[in-house]
Amino acid sequence: MAVDIRNVAKKREQRYSYGLTLLRDCIERDRDLPREEDIFKKVILKVEDITISFGGLTALSDVNLELKEGELLAIIGPNGAGKTTLLNVISGFYRPQKGNIYFQDKRITHYSSHRIAAMGICRTFQNIALYTGLSVIDNIIAGRHPHIKYNFLNGMLYFPWARREEARQRAIAEDIVDFLEMEHVRNTTVGMLSYGLRKRAELGRALALEPRILLLDEPMAGMNLDEKEDIARFIIDIHEFLRIPIVMIEHDMGVVMDIADRIAVLDFGVKIGDGTPEEISKNPKVVSAYLGSTGE
């Protein structure tokens, strides 16, 4: 059943109550946040004619996609449409047989996944990929690894500058924990958490990487109404406060229609629609393939 997220997601007074301030300061030290004149205009990620096959199965066929600064792009489609495969190609887990990926006008098609993550293309996974034997706070600190400024030897000997850096990184991780409202489970082993809280922890670890683009693979899958409302609120906060472009795969059409700026639709590996939520809801191909035909 679709969730009406509108009354929760659109309340400006509920946002930015606490958390993310230290993370935003770190991001602004490394780069300028997108300018207002670039929002929805400047292309930051471009997918060009991507084709990938597994044996005789073509998962994606000549798919083209653009993500612009400040945009929240939703990717929808039936199961098996190629949505997760597309994110895997973008993030370097799969190598396409044809086509290219461009990030800030730089071709990254054959970059390794860790190199792409270090560039700022960060993601969550459909099947949660956390360190289940570590606590919530340790999982989030693990996401800070590319930004830690001491090496193994300095950390082992615990020099004063290493202690200061450790304290700084832990403060940023605690800032993310506060934002995700996970203070009560911050020291709990992730493997002991509920599914919804694990999803939050994985989102926190992706945030810790200081993403330039955030890829979310079904962040609300398997959640109840209250959990979906919380995740929708977090996503909007991240998008608006940190000005991070987001690509989100999601099956809940109520959520997608309410929070997405633009929607791309895949069906059997082919893009069949791309436009605003209103345009997509009236697209006959999309209605037939995914939203359901009325039969008239």
Side-chain angles (χ1 to χ4, degrees):
M1 182 177 66
V3 175
D4 183 3
I5 216 79
R6 200 172 275 108
N7 292 331
V8 174
K10 300 301 181 184
K11 290 181 180 178
R12 294 298 190 269
E13 65 272 19
Q14 293 185 359
R15 299 179 188 170
Y16 321 141
S17 55
Y18 60 89
L20 294 189
T21 305
L22 293 178
L23 183 64
R24 176 165 168 156
D25 289 344
C26 288
I27 291 173
E28 289 183 315
R29 278 197 294 267
D30 292 338
R31 66 174 187 265
D32 294 329
L33 293 180
R35 299 173 300 178
E36 290 296 331
E37 57 265 30
D38 291 334
I39 301 297
F40 302 136
K41 295 178 182 177
K42 182 180 178 181
V43 175
I44 185 173
L45 180 72
K46 186 176 182 180
V47 175
E48 190 176 82
D49 299 325
I50 288 296
T51 297
I52 183 170
S53 300
F54 301 97
L57 175 65
T58 300
L60 295 171
S61 179
D62 294 317
V63 172
N64 292 278
L65 195 69
E66 289 184 348
L67 176 68
K68 298 176 182 177
E69 285 282 14
E71 191 172 42
L72 201 165
L73 170 66
I75 300 177
I76 66 172
N79 290 327
K83 304 181 298 296
T84 296
T85 299
L86 180 58
L87 290 199
N88 286 339
V89 171
I90 293 172
S91 56
F93 286 91
Y94 292 162
R95 302 291 173 84
Q97 283 93 32
K98 177 189 172 187
N100 286 295
I101 308 289
Y102 296 91
F103 172 57
Q104 295 181 319
D105 298 324
K106 184 174 184 178
R107 190 164 70 93
I108 62 169
T109 313
H110 299 294
Y111 282 17
S112 61
S113 57
H114 70 271
R115 186 177 178 186
I116 290 174
M119 294 174 69
I121 301 179
C122 309
R123 68 171 297 181
T124 63
F125 293 83
Q126 184 175 346
N127 298 316
I128 302 171
L130 291 167
Y131 302 112
T132 55
L134 296 181
S135 67
V136 170
I137 191 69
D138 287 338
N139 266 276
I140 293 175
I141 289 175
R144 295 296 302 165
H145 173 72
H147 305 286
I148 293 176
K149 300 185 185 304
Y150 60 79
N151 58 32
F152 172 76
L153 181 61
N154 290 337
M156 183 177 67
L157 297 177
Y158 217 44
F159 287 120
W161 58 86
R163 290 199 299 271
R164 288 193 294 270
E165 178 67 6
E166 175 74 16
R168 188 177 77 90
Q169 298 298 343
R170 185 167 290 273
I172 295 168
E174 295 284 4
D175 188 45
I176 295 171
V177 168
D178 287 346
F179 166 68
L180 294 172
E181 300 171 6
M182 299 186 73
E183 304 96 324
H184 61 296
V185 293
R186 59 181 298 283
N187 291 316
T188 303
T189 302
V190 162
M192 303 295 292
L193 295 178
S194 67
Y195 180 81
L197 288 176
R198 289 192 198 191
K199 281 282 193 180
R200 287 195 201 185
E202 189 175 42
L203 177 59
R205 188 180 62 183
L207 279 178
L209 282 162
E210 298 181 16
R212 190 66 185 81
I213 295 174
L214 190 57
L215 310 178
L216 304 177
D217 194 350
E218 298 191 24
M220 304 176 202
M223 293 186 178
N224 60 35
L225 174 59
D226 290 338
E227 291 171 330
K228 286 184 178 183
E229 289 177 346
D230 286 339
I231 292 293
R233 174 164 50 89
F234 296 146
I235 290 172
I236 292 174
D237 281 350
I238 292 164
H239 180 236
E240 296 193 349
F241 186 56
L242 300 180
R243 299 187 186 177
I244 296 174
I246 295 175
V247 179
M248 177 181 71
I249 294 173
E250 183 52 52
H251 284 289
D252 191 315
M253 292 307 301
V255 173
V256 169
M257 292 294 179
D258 280 342
I259 72 175
D261 299 310
R262 187 164 56 89
I263 301 173
V265 189
L266 296 179
D267 188 30
F268 293 107
V270 178
K271 191 174 82 169
I272 62 171
D274 192 332
T276 64
E278 183 179 1
E279 291 169 345
I280 290 299
S281 66
K282 297 177 181 177
N283 186 316
K285 290 184 179 179
V286 176
V287 172
S288 176
Y290 187 63
L291 299 180
S293 176
T294 62
E296 295 180 359

